[in-house]
Amino acid sequence: MTAVRPTLHVRVESWECDFNGHWNTRFYCRSFDAARSVLEAQEGQVRPGAPPPGWRHLRFHRELKEGDALEIRSCLAEGGAVAHVMVCEGRVAATALEEAGPHVPDLPDLPRDLEGLVLSRGLAGIEVAPWQVAQSGDSPAELGPVRRDELGEDGTLCFEAQIARLATGSHQHMEDVGFRRETVRKTGIGRMLVELRHRPLSSCGAGELLRMESRIVQAGGKSWISAHLLRTASGRPVAICETCLLAVDMKERRAAAVPEMIHAAVSAD
């Protein structure tokens, strides 16, 4: 990693941690987004109003807690995508791949020994198309209006705000499926986000109401994949996210069998 360019340093704050005491996903995402901005500034490519990356793919390798000090280093992956590697105490905590855009920065190549941590794994070969209307098996969530302070310079809903909506919508999805906190307490089986792919589809303005429709598209032995479509109240797709979650034995802190309720909720579409 010494040959890879540092683009951001971050500290995990207590108020950024979730009800499990772990750093919330939105702040991983905000940090990777900030690293991209720093990278563009270093390259002299700051372009007010520039569109966000056409896609982002994140992998989460370690749970981070209050007081952890983080460094993000950036490089180029095979195919020209920009790779960001988040390191805590010398270990990779999370990674992000994103579309480089029309101006590819001058960066060192991704070290080969990191390719296995950066490239898609659970979501490899999975890309769900936005669906037209909610199906009976979908889990809907009303997510309120877009605030002006959530809009970027290009007038689109910023990445962090979209991931914050994803957190609420995906949590409501699990509630609807029956994978609730009480279920975790009784069974000892929880869930952990291990991969996330985000694709923006359109802009939305201040005051527009947002909602999310979520569905499980695939379930395996120890993990499952969900799709989450963010829309405006008028039905216009704003973004789509695919997530790969791992079932976890909360006592042993290791992968467990996916609960039957997840298998039963796999979408027929």
Side-chain angles (χ1 to χ4, degrees), residues 226-267:
S226 297
H228 309 272
L229 182 59
L230 183 64
R231 298 183 187 271
T232 63
S234 64
R236 186 179 70 257
V238 173
I240 190 166
C241 290
E242 294 102 356
T243 59
C244 180
L245 291 99
L246 186 70
V248 178
D249 183 312
M250 302 300 285
K251 183 177 180 180
E252 300 294 332
R253 305 304 294 175
R254 64 184 182 187
V258 169
E260 183 56 38
M261 68 185 75
I262 297 296
H263 289 284
V266 174
S267 172

Side-chain angles (χ1 to χ4, degrees), residues 117-179:
L117 297 178
V118 173
L119 301 180
S120 180
R121 184 177 178 183
L123 293 176
I126 299 292
E127 187 168 306
V128 179
W131 51 95
Q132 295 301 312
V133 295
Q135 302 296 317
S136 59
D138 288 347
S139 176
E142 294 290 345
L143 301 174
V146 175
R147 302 191 311 271
R148 291 190 182 279
D149 63 356
E150 294 180 313
L151 300 177
E153 290 184 353
D154 60 344
T156 61
L157 187 63
C158 71
F159 184 44
E160 180 188 349
Q162 294 189 39
I163 298 303
R165 298 306 200 288
L166 170 65
T168 301
S170 61
H171 192 86
Q172 184 60 50
H173 183 208
M174 289 294 96
E175 288 284 311
D176 292 344
V177 167
F179 203 157

Side-chain angles (χ1 to χ4, degrees), residues 1-9 38-39 42 71-74:
M1 289 299 296
T2 56
V4 182
R5 182 182 302 180
T7 43
L8 195 72
H9 292 85
V38 171
L39 183 61
Q42 290 177 345
E71 179 183 55
I72 295 177
R73 290 177 171 261
S74 303

Side-chain angles (χ1 to χ4, degrees), residues 12 24 48 61 75 89 98 110 114-115 120 153 168 173 189-190 192 200 207-208 216 228 230 256 265:
V12 175
N24 195 290
H61 302 284
C75 49
E89 297 180 351
E98 61 188 26
L110 174 69
L114 293 180
E115 289 181 353
S120 180
E153 290 184 353
T168 301
H173 183 208
I189 303 300
M192 179 185 298
E208 287 197 83
I216 298 172
H228 309 272
L230 183 64

